[in-house]
Amino acid sequence: MREVSKLIFLLIGNLCRWISYGGSKSMDEVLKEDNELLGFIVAAIVFFFVFYFIKL
């Protein structure tokens, strides 16, 4: 289960990092960095926003 969550967070983090570069770097260059923490932060923010709007 840990590997699956790490894979999801890496995918989200890499996509966010690539978008933040504006596509100027290739995806191969972005994949060399470890973006798992960024993916976790983005997923947590999205989760809390969705949870907040459902509660309204």
Side-chain angles (χ1 to χ4, degrees):
M1 187 65 181
R2 169 79 176 124
E3 291 83 15
V4 174
S5 64
K6 181 175 180 162
L7 182 65
I8 291 170
F9 293 147
L10 278 171
L11 178 65
I12 293 170
N14 288 334
L15 286 174
C16 290
R17 180 71 65 160
W18 184 73
I19 290 171
S20 72
Y21 287 137
S24 61
K25 284 190 171 185
S26 69
M27 189 55 99
D28 290 334
E29 293 175 13
V30 174
L31 291 175
K32 291 177 184 174
E33 303 168 12
D34 184 21
N35 297 315
E36 182 183 0
L37 182 61
L38 177 64
F40 177 76
I41 292 170
V42 169
I45 290 171
V46 168
F47 174 77
F48 286 123
F49 274 125
V50 169
F51 184 73
Y52 175 73
F53 286 119
I54 288 174
K55 291 291 267 188
L56 289 178

Short mmCIF file of all heavy atoms in Angstrom, two decimals:
data_model
loop_
_atom_site.label_atom_id
_atom_site.label_comp_id
_atom_site.label_asym_id
_atom_site.label_seq_id
_atom_site.Cartn_x
_atom_site.Cartn_y
_atom_site.Cartn_z
N MET A 1 0.82 -1.20 0.00
CA MET A 1 0.00 0.00 0.00
C MET A 1 0.87 1.26 0.00
O MET A 1 0.53 2.25 -0.61
CB MET A 1 -0.92 -0.03 1.23
CG MET A 1 -1.92 1.06 1.23
SD MET A 1 -3.05 0.83 -0.15
CE MET A 1 -4.08 2.21 0.04
N ARG A 2 1.99 1.19 0.69
CA ARG A 2 2.91 2.33 0.75
C ARG A 2 3.46 2.65 -0.63
O ARG A 2 3.60 3.82 -0.99
CB ARG A 2 4.03 2.02 1.74
CG ARG A 2 5.18 2.99 1.71
CD ARG A 2 4.86 4.26 2.46
NE ARG A 2 6.04 5.10 2.47
CZ ARG A 2 6.04 6.34 2.01
NH1 ARG A 2 4.95 6.88 1.56
NH2 ARG A 2 7.13 7.05 2.04
N GLU A 3 3.75 1.63 -1.41
CA GLU A 3 4.30 1.86 -2.75
C GLU A 3 3.28 2.52 -3.66
O GLU A 3 3.64 3.36 -4.48
CB GLU A 3 4.77 0.53 -3.36
CG GLU A 3 5.98 -0.06 -2.70
CD GLU A 3 5.65 -0.86 -1.45
OE1 GLU A 3 4.46 -1.20 -1.25
OE2 GLU A 3 6.56 -1.13 -0.67
N VAL A 4 2.02 2.13 -3.51
CA VAL A 4 0.96 2.72 -4.34
C VAL A 4 0.78 4.19 -4.00
O VAL A 4 0.69 5.04 -4.89
CB VAL A 4 -0.36 1.95 -4.17
CG1 VAL A 4 -1.50 2.63 -4.91
CG2 VAL A 4 -0.22 0.52 -4.65
N SER A 5 0.74 4.52 -2.71
CA SER A 5 0.58 5.92 -2.32
C SER A 5 1.80 6.74 -2.74
O SER A 5 1.66 7.88 -3.18
CB SER A 5 0.34 6.04 -0.82
OG SER A 5 1.46 5.61 -0.09
N LYS A 6 2.99 6.16 -2.64
CA LYS A 6 4.20 6.87 -3.07
C LYS A 6 4.15 7.13 -4.57
O LYS A 6 4.49 8.23 -5.03
CB LYS A 6 5.44 6.06 -2.72
CG LYS A 6 6.71 6.76 -3.12
CD LYS A 6 7.95 6.01 -2.66
CE LYS A 6 9.17 6.78 -3.10
NZ LYS A 6 10.36 6.42 -2.40
N LEU A 7 3.69 6.16 -5.34
CA LEU A 7 3.57 6.33 -6.78
C LEU A 7 2.56 7.42 -7.14
O LEU A 7 2.83 8.26 -8.01
CB LEU A 7 3.15 5.00 -7.42
CG LEU A 7 3.03 4.99 -8.94
CD1 LEU A 7 4.39 5.24 -9.56
CD2 LEU A 7 2.46 3.67 -9.40
N ILE A 8 1.44 7.46 -6.44
CA ILE A 8 0.43 8.49 -6.70
C ILE A 8 0.97 9.87 -6.35
O ILE A 8 0.82 10.82 -7.11
CB ILE A 8 -0.86 8.18 -5.91
CG1 ILE A 8 -1.53 6.92 -6.49
CG2 ILE A 8 -1.82 9.36 -5.94
CD1 ILE A 8 -2.66 6.39 -5.65
N PHE A 9 1.63 9.99 -5.18
CA PHE A 9 2.17 11.28 -4.77
C PHE A 9 3.30 11.74 -5.69
O PHE A 9 3.44 12.93 -5.98
CB PHE A 9 2.66 11.24 -3.33
CG PHE A 9 1.55 11.07 -2.32
CD1 PHE A 9 1.76 10.37 -1.16
CD2 PHE A 9 0.30 11.63 -2.55
CE1 PHE A 9 0.75 10.22 -0.22
CE2 PHE A 9 -0.72 11.48 -1.62
CZ PHE A 9 -0.50 10.77 -0.46
N LEU A 10 4.11 10.79 -6.17
CA LEU A 10 5.16 11.15 -7.13
C LEU A 10 4.56 11.65 -8.43
O LEU A 10 5.05 12.62 -9.01
CB LEU A 10 6.08 9.96 -7.39
CG LEU A 10 7.18 9.71 -6.37
CD1 LEU A 10 7.85 8.38 -6.65
CD2 LEU A 10 8.18 10.83 -6.38
N LEU A 11 3.52 10.99 -8.91
CA LEU A 11 2.87 11.41 -10.14
C LEU A 11 2.29 12.81 -10.01
O LEU A 11 2.51 13.67 -10.87
CB LEU A 11 1.77 10.42 -10.52
CG LEU A 11 0.97 10.75 -11.77
CD1 LEU A 11 1.86 10.69 -12.99
CD2 LEU A 11 -0.19 9.81 -11.92
N ILE A 12 1.58 13.07 -8.92
CA ILE A 12 0.99 14.40 -8.68
C ILE A 12 2.10 15.44 -8.54
O ILE A 12 2.03 16.52 -9.13
CB ILE A 12 0.09 14.37 -7.43
CG1 ILE A 12 -1.13 13.49 -7.68
CG2 ILE A 12 -0.35 15.78 -7.06
CD1 ILE A 12 -1.95 13.23 -6.43
N GLY A 13 3.13 15.12 -7.77
CA GLY A 13 4.23 16.06 -7.56
C GLY A 13 4.99 16.38 -8.84
O GLY A 13 5.33 17.53 -9.11
N ASN A 14 5.24 15.35 -9.65
CA ASN A 14 5.95 15.58 -10.90
C ASN A 14 5.12 16.42 -11.86
O ASN A 14 5.66 17.30 -12.54
CB ASN A 14 6.32 14.24 -11.55
CG ASN A 14 7.43 13.54 -10.83
OD1 ASN A 14 8.24 14.16 -10.16
ND2 ASN A 14 7.46 12.23 -10.93
N LEU A 15 3.83 16.17 -11.93
CA LEU A 15 2.97 16.98 -12.81
C LEU A 15 2.93 18.43 -12.34
O LEU A 15 3.01 19.35 -13.17
CB LEU A 15 1.56 16.39 -12.86
CG LEU A 15 1.41 15.12 -13.68
CD1 LEU A 15 0.00 14.56 -13.53
CD2 LEU A 15 1.73 15.37 -15.13
N CYS A 16 2.82 18.64 -11.05
CA CYS A 16 2.79 20.01 -10.52
C CYS A 16 4.11 20.73 -10.77
O CYS A 16 4.14 21.90 -11.14
CB CYS A 16 2.48 20.00 -9.04
SG CYS A 16 0.80 19.53 -8.66
N ARG A 17 5.22 20.02 -10.59
CA ARG A 17 6.54 20.63 -10.81
C ARG A 17 6.72 20.96 -12.29
O ARG A 17 7.23 22.02 -12.63
CB ARG A 17 7.62 19.66 -10.34
CG ARG A 17 9.02 20.16 -10.52
CD ARG A 17 9.33 21.26 -9.57
NE ARG A 17 9.29 20.74 -8.23
CZ ARG A 17 9.86 21.31 -7.20
NH1 ARG A 17 10.54 22.42 -7.35
NH2 ARG A 17 9.75 20.81 -6.01
N TRP A 18 6.27 20.08 -13.17
CA TRP A 18 6.40 20.32 -14.61
C TRP A 18 5.55 21.52 -15.02
O TRP A 18 5.98 22.37 -15.80
CB TRP A 18 5.97 19.08 -15.39
CG TRP A 18 6.14 19.20 -16.85
CD1 TRP A 18 7.31 19.19 -17.55
CD2 TRP A 18 5.11 19.37 -17.82
NE1 TRP A 18 7.07 19.34 -18.89
CE2 TRP A 18 5.72 19.45 -19.08
CE3 TRP A 18 3.73 19.46 -17.73
CZ2 TRP A 18 4.98 19.62 -20.24
CZ3 TRP A 18 3.00 19.61 -18.89
CH2 TRP A 18 3.63 19.70 -20.12
N ILE A 19 4.34 21.64 -14.45
CA ILE A 19 3.48 22.79 -14.74
C ILE A 19 4.11 24.07 -14.19
O ILE A 19 4.05 25.13 -14.83
CB ILE A 19 2.07 22.56 -14.16
CG1 ILE A 19 1.37 21.47 -14.96
CG2 ILE A 19 1.25 23.85 -14.17
CD1 ILE A 19 0.06 21.01 -14.35
N SER A 20 4.74 23.99 -13.01
CA SER A 20 5.36 25.19 -12.44
C SER A 20 6.54 25.67 -13.28
O SER A 20 6.84 26.86 -13.30
CB SER A 20 5.82 24.92 -11.01
OG SER A 20 6.95 24.08 -10.99
N TYR A 21 7.22 24.76 -13.97
CA TYR A 21 8.28 25.16 -14.89
C TYR A 21 7.72 25.68 -16.20
O TYR A 21 8.46 26.18 -17.03
CB TYR A 21 9.22 23.99 -15.19
CG TYR A 21 10.13 23.62 -14.05
CD1 TYR A 21 10.34 22.28 -13.73
CD2 TYR A 21 10.78 24.58 -13.30
CE1 TYR A 21 11.17 21.93 -12.69
CE2 TYR A 21 11.61 24.23 -12.26
CZ TYR A 21 11.81 22.90 -11.96
OH TYR A 21 12.64 22.55 -10.92
N GLY A 22 6.44 25.56 -16.40
CA GLY A 22 5.81 26.05 -17.62
C GLY A 22 6.13 25.19 -18.83
O GLY A 22 6.03 25.64 -19.97
N GLY A 23 6.53 23.97 -18.59
CA GLY A 23 6.87 23.06 -19.68
C GLY A 23 8.22 23.34 -20.31
O GLY A 23 8.57 22.72 -21.31
N SER A 24 8.99 24.29 -19.72
CA SER A 24 10.29 24.61 -20.30
C SER A 24 11.30 23.47 -20.09
O SER A 24 12.17 23.26 -20.91
CB SER A 24 10.84 25.90 -19.71
OG SER A 24 11.02 25.77 -18.31
N LYS A 25 11.18 22.74 -18.99
CA LYS A 25 12.02 21.57 -18.77
C LYS A 25 11.27 20.34 -19.29
O LYS A 25 10.05 20.27 -19.23
CB LYS A 25 12.30 21.37 -17.28
CG LYS A 25 13.32 22.30 -16.72
CD LYS A 25 13.70 21.85 -15.33
CE LYS A 25 14.88 22.63 -14.81
NZ LYS A 25 15.32 22.13 -13.52
N SER A 26 12.03 19.39 -19.77
CA SER A 26 11.39 18.16 -20.23
C SER A 26 10.96 17.34 -19.02
O SER A 26 11.45 17.52 -17.90
CB SER A 26 12.36 17.35 -21.10
OG SER A 26 13.41 16.84 -20.31
N MET A 27 10.03 16.44 -19.25
CA MET A 27 9.54 15.61 -18.16
C MET A 27 10.65 14.71 -17.63
O MET A 27 10.67 14.38 -16.45
CB MET A 27 8.35 14.77 -18.64
CG MET A 27 7.64 14.05 -17.53
SD MET A 27 7.08 15.11 -16.21
CE MET A 27 5.39 15.31 -16.66
N ASP A 28 11.61 14.34 -18.48
CA ASP A 28 12.74 13.53 -18.03
C ASP A 28 13.57 14.26 -16.98
O ASP A 28 14.03 13.66 -16.01
CB ASP A 28 13.63 13.13 -19.20
CG ASP A 28 12.97 12.14 -20.13
OD1 ASP A 28 12.08 11.40 -19.64
OD2 ASP A 28 13.32 12.11 -21.32
N GLU A 29 13.76 15.57 -17.15
CA GLU A 29 14.51 16.35 -16.17
C GLU A 29 13.74 16.49 -14.87
O GLU A 29 14.32 16.48 -13.79
CB GLU A 29 14.82 17.73 -16.74
CG GLU A 29 15.79 17.71 -17.90
CD GLU A 29 15.98 19.09 -18.51
OE1 GLU A 29 15.58 20.09 -17.89
OE2 GLU A 29 16.54 19.15 -19.61
N VAL A 30 12.43 16.62 -14.97
CA VAL A 30 11.60 16.74 -13.77
C VAL A 30 11.58 15.42 -13.00
O VAL A 30 11.58 15.41 -11.77
CB VAL A 30 10.16 17.18 -14.15
CG1 VAL A 30 9.24 17.17 -12.95
CG2 VAL A 30 10.18 18.57 -14.78
N LEU A 31 11.58 14.30 -13.71
CA LEU A 31 11.51 12.99 -13.07
C LEU A 31 12.77 12.66 -12.27
O LEU A 31 12.73 11.79 -11.40
CB LEU A 31 11.27 11.90 -14.11
CG LEU A 31 9.89 11.92 -14.77
CD1 LEU A 31 9.83 10.87 -15.86
CD2 LEU A 31 8.80 11.71 -13.76
N LYS A 32 13.87 13.36 -12.52
CA LYS A 32 15.10 13.11 -11.79
C LYS A 32 15.00 13.60 -10.35
O LYS A 32 15.73 13.14 -9.48
CB LYS A 32 16.28 13.79 -12.48
CG LYS A 32 16.62 13.16 -13.81
CD LYS A 32 17.74 13.89 -14.49
CE LYS A 32 18.01 13.31 -15.86
NZ LYS A 32 18.99 14.10 -16.62
N GLU A 33 14.08 14.53 -10.08
CA GLU A 33 13.90 15.07 -8.74
C GLU A 33 12.87 14.23 -7.98
O GLU A 33 11.99 13.64 -8.57
CB GLU A 33 13.43 16.52 -8.82
CG GLU A 33 14.34 17.43 -9.60
CD GLU A 33 13.70 18.76 -9.90
OE1 GLU A 33 12.66 19.08 -9.32
OE2 GLU A 33 14.24 19.48 -10.76
N ASP A 34 12.97 14.22 -6.65
CA ASP A 34 12.00 13.52 -5.83
C ASP A 34 10.91 14.52 -5.44
O ASP A 34 11.15 15.43 -4.63
CB ASP A 34 12.66 12.94 -4.58
CG ASP A 34 11.70 12.13 -3.74
OD1 ASP A 34 10.67 11.69 -4.28
OD2 ASP A 34 11.97 11.94 -2.55
N ASN A 35 9.74 14.38 -6.01
CA ASN A 35 8.64 15.32 -5.78
C ASN A 35 7.49 14.69 -5.00
O ASN A 35 6.35 15.12 -5.10
CB ASN A 35 8.12 15.84 -7.14
CG ASN A 35 9.17 16.62 -7.88
OD1 ASN A 35 9.84 17.45 -7.30
ND2 ASN A 35 9.33 16.33 -9.15
N GLU A 36 7.81 13.69 -4.19
CA GLU A 36 6.78 13.01 -3.42
C GLU A 36 6.14 13.94 -2.38
O GLU A 36 4.93 13.95 -2.20
CB GLU A 36 7.34 11.77 -2.73
CG GLU A 36 6.31 11.00 -1.95
CD GLU A 36 6.90 9.81 -1.21
OE1 GLU A 36 8.11 9.59 -1.29
OE2 GLU A 36 6.11 9.13 -0.54
N LEU A 37 6.96 14.74 -1.70
CA LEU A 37 6.43 15.65 -0.69
C LEU A 37 5.52 16.69 -1.31
O LEU A 37 4.45 17.00 -0.77
CB LEU A 37 7.57 16.33 0.07
CG LEU A 37 7.16 17.27 1.19
CD1 LEU A 37 6.38 16.51 2.25
CD2 LEU A 37 8.37 17.94 1.79
N LEU A 38 5.90 17.22 -2.46
CA LEU A 38 5.06 18.18 -3.17
C LEU A 38 3.72 17.54 -3.54
O LEU A 38 2.67 18.15 -3.38
CB LEU A 38 5.76 18.69 -4.42
CG LEU A 38 4.97 19.66 -5.30
CD1 LEU A 38 4.66 20.94 -4.55
CD2 LEU A 38 5.72 19.94 -6.58
N GLY A 39 3.75 16.31 -4.01
CA GLY A 39 2.51 15.61 -4.35
C GLY A 39 1.63 15.39 -3.14
O GLY A 39 0.41 15.53 -3.22
N PHE A 40 2.24 15.08 -2.00
CA PHE A 40 1.47 14.90 -0.77
C PHE A 40 0.81 16.20 -0.35
O PHE A 40 -0.36 16.22 0.03
CB PHE A 40 2.37 14.37 0.35
CG PHE A 40 1.66 14.24 1.66
CD1 PHE A 40 0.79 13.19 1.87
CD2 PHE A 40 1.85 15.17 2.66
CE1 PHE A 40 0.12 13.07 3.08
CE2 PHE A 40 1.20 15.06 3.87
CZ PHE A 40 0.33 14.00 4.08
N ILE A 41 1.54 17.30 -0.43
CA ILE A 41 0.99 18.60 -0.03
C ILE A 41 -0.16 19.01 -0.94
O ILE A 41 -1.20 19.45 -0.47
CB ILE A 41 2.11 19.67 -0.03
CG1 ILE A 41 3.10 19.37 1.09
CG2 ILE A 41 1.54 21.07 0.10
CD1 ILE A 41 4.37 20.21 1.03
N VAL A 42 0.01 18.83 -2.24
CA VAL A 42 -1.05 19.18 -3.20
C VAL A 42 -2.28 18.30 -2.97
O VAL A 42 -3.41 18.79 -2.95
CB VAL A 42 -0.55 19.06 -4.65
CG1 VAL A 42 -1.68 19.17 -5.64
CG2 VAL A 42 0.50 20.13 -4.92
N ALA A 43 -2.07 17.01 -2.76
CA ALA A 43 -3.20 16.10 -2.52
C ALA A 43 -3.92 16.46 -1.23
O ALA A 43 -5.15 16.43 -1.17
CB ALA A 43 -2.72 14.66 -2.49
N ALA A 44 -3.17 16.84 -0.19
CA ALA A 44 -3.79 17.22 1.08
C ALA A 44 -4.61 18.50 0.93
O ALA A 44 -5.72 18.59 1.46
CB ALA A 44 -2.71 17.40 2.15
N ILE A 45 -4.08 19.48 0.21
CA ILE A 45 -4.81 20.73 0.00
C ILE A 45 -6.09 20.48 -0.78
O ILE A 45 -7.17 20.98 -0.42
CB ILE A 45 -3.91 21.76 -0.71
CG1 ILE A 45 -2.82 22.23 0.24
CG2 ILE A 45 -4.72 22.95 -1.22
CD1 ILE A 45 -1.75 23.08 -0.40
N VAL A 46 -6.00 19.68 -1.84
CA VAL A 46 -7.19 19.36 -2.64
C VAL A 46 -8.20 18.61 -1.79
O VAL A 46 -9.41 18.89 -1.84
CB VAL A 46 -6.80 18.55 -3.89
CG1 VAL A 46 -8.02 17.95 -4.56
CG2 VAL A 46 -6.03 19.42 -4.86
N PHE A 47 -7.75 17.66 -0.98
CA PHE A 47 -8.64 16.90 -0.11
C PHE A 47 -9.37 17.82 0.86
O PHE A 47 -10.59 17.71 1.05
CB PHE A 47 -7.86 15.85 0.67
CG PHE A 47 -8.68 15.12 1.69
CD1 PHE A 47 -9.57 14.13 1.30
CD2 PHE A 47 -8.57 15.44 3.03
CE1 PHE A 47 -10.34 13.48 2.24
CE2 PHE A 47 -9.33 14.78 3.98
CZ PHE A 47 -10.22 13.79 3.59
N PHE A 48 -8.65 18.75 1.49
CA PHE A 48 -9.30 19.64 2.46
C PHE A 48 -10.27 20.60 1.79
O PHE A 48 -11.32 20.90 2.36
CB PHE A 48 -8.25 20.40 3.28
CG PHE A 48 -7.57 19.53 4.29
CD1 PHE A 48 -6.20 19.39 4.29
CD2 PHE A 48 -8.30 18.85 5.25
CE1 PHE A 48 -5.56 18.59 5.22
CE2 PHE A 48 -7.68 18.04 6.19
CZ PHE A 48 -6.31 17.92 6.17
N PHE A 49 -9.95 21.09 0.60
CA PHE A 49 -10.89 21.95 -0.12
C PHE A 49 -12.16 21.18 -0.49
O PHE A 49 -13.27 21.68 -0.33
CB PHE A 49 -10.26 22.55 -1.37
CG PHE A 49 -9.50 23.81 -1.12
CD1 PHE A 49 -8.17 23.92 -1.50
CD2 PHE A 49 -10.10 24.90 -0.49
CE1 PHE A 49 -7.46 25.07 -1.26
CE2 PHE A 49 -9.39 26.06 -0.24
CZ PHE A 49 -8.07 26.15 -0.63
N VAL A 50 -12.00 19.98 -0.99
CA VAL A 50 -13.17 19.17 -1.35
C VAL A 50 -13.99 18.85 -0.11
O VAL A 50 -15.22 18.96 -0.12
CB VAL A 50 -12.73 17.89 -2.09
CG1 VAL A 50 -13.88 16.91 -2.23
CG2 VAL A 50 -12.16 18.23 -3.45
N PHE A 51 -13.33 18.46 0.97
CA PHE A 51 -14.03 18.16 2.20
C PHE A 51 -14.76 19.38 2.74
O PHE A 51 -15.90 19.29 3.22
CB PHE A 51 -13.04 17.64 3.25
CG PHE A 51 -13.68 17.22 4.53
CD1 PHE A 51 -14.41 16.05 4.60
CD2 PHE A 51 -13.55 17.99 5.67
CE1 PHE A 51 -15.01 15.64 5.78
CE2 PHE A 51 -14.14 17.61 6.86
CZ PHE A 51 -14.87 16.43 6.91
N TYR A 52 -14.14 20.56 2.65
CA TYR A 52 -14.76 21.79 3.13
C TYR A 52 -16.01 22.13 2.33
O TYR A 52 -17.04 22.49 2.89
CB TYR A 52 -13.76 22.94 3.06
CG TYR A 52 -14.34 24.28 3.44
CD1 TYR A 52 -14.63 24.58 4.75
CD2 TYR A 52 -14.63 25.23 2.47
CE1 TYR A 52 -15.17 25.81 5.10
CE2 TYR A 52 -15.17 26.44 2.79
CZ TYR A 52 -15.45 26.73 4.12
OH TYR A 52 -15.98 27.94 4.45
N PHE A 53 -15.92 22.01 1.00
CA PHE A 53 -17.07 22.36 0.17
C PHE A 53 -18.20 21.34 0.27
O PHE A 53 -19.36 21.69 0.08
CB PHE A 53 -16.66 22.57 -1.28
CG PHE A 53 -15.93 23.86 -1.49
CD1 PHE A 53 -14.63 23.86 -1.96
CD2 PHE A 53 -16.53 25.07 -1.20
CE1 PHE A 53 -13.94 25.04 -2.15
CE2 PHE A 53 -15.86 26.27 -1.37
CZ PHE A 53 -14.55 26.25 -1.85
N ILE A 54 -17.89 20.10 0.58
CA ILE A 54 -18.94 19.10 0.79
C ILE A 54 -19.67 19.40 2.08
O ILE A 54 -20.89 19.21 2.18
CB ILE A 54 -18.34 17.68 0.79
CG1 ILE A 54 -17.93 17.30 -0.62
CG2 ILE A 54 -19.33 16.67 1.34
CD1 ILE A 54 -17.21 15.98 -0.73
N LYS A 55 -18.95 19.89 3.09
CA LYS A 55 -19.56 20.19 4.38
C LYS A 55 -20.49 21.40 4.29
O LYS A 55 -21.37 21.55 5.14
CB LYS A 55 -18.47 20.46 5.44
CG LYS A 55 -17.69 19.25 5.82
CD LYS A 55 -18.51 18.27 6.58
CE LYS A 55 -18.35 18.53 8.06
NZ LYS A 55 -18.97 17.51 8.87
N LEU A 56 -20.30 22.26 3.30
CA LEU A 56 -21.17 23.44 3.18
C LEU A 56 -22.48 23.03 2.67
O LEU A 56 -23.38 22.81 2.49
CB LEU A 56 -20.57 24.46 2.22
CG LEU A 56 -19.34 25.19 2.75
CD1 LEU A 56 -18.83 26.15 1.67
CD2 LEU A 56 -19.65 25.98 3.99
#
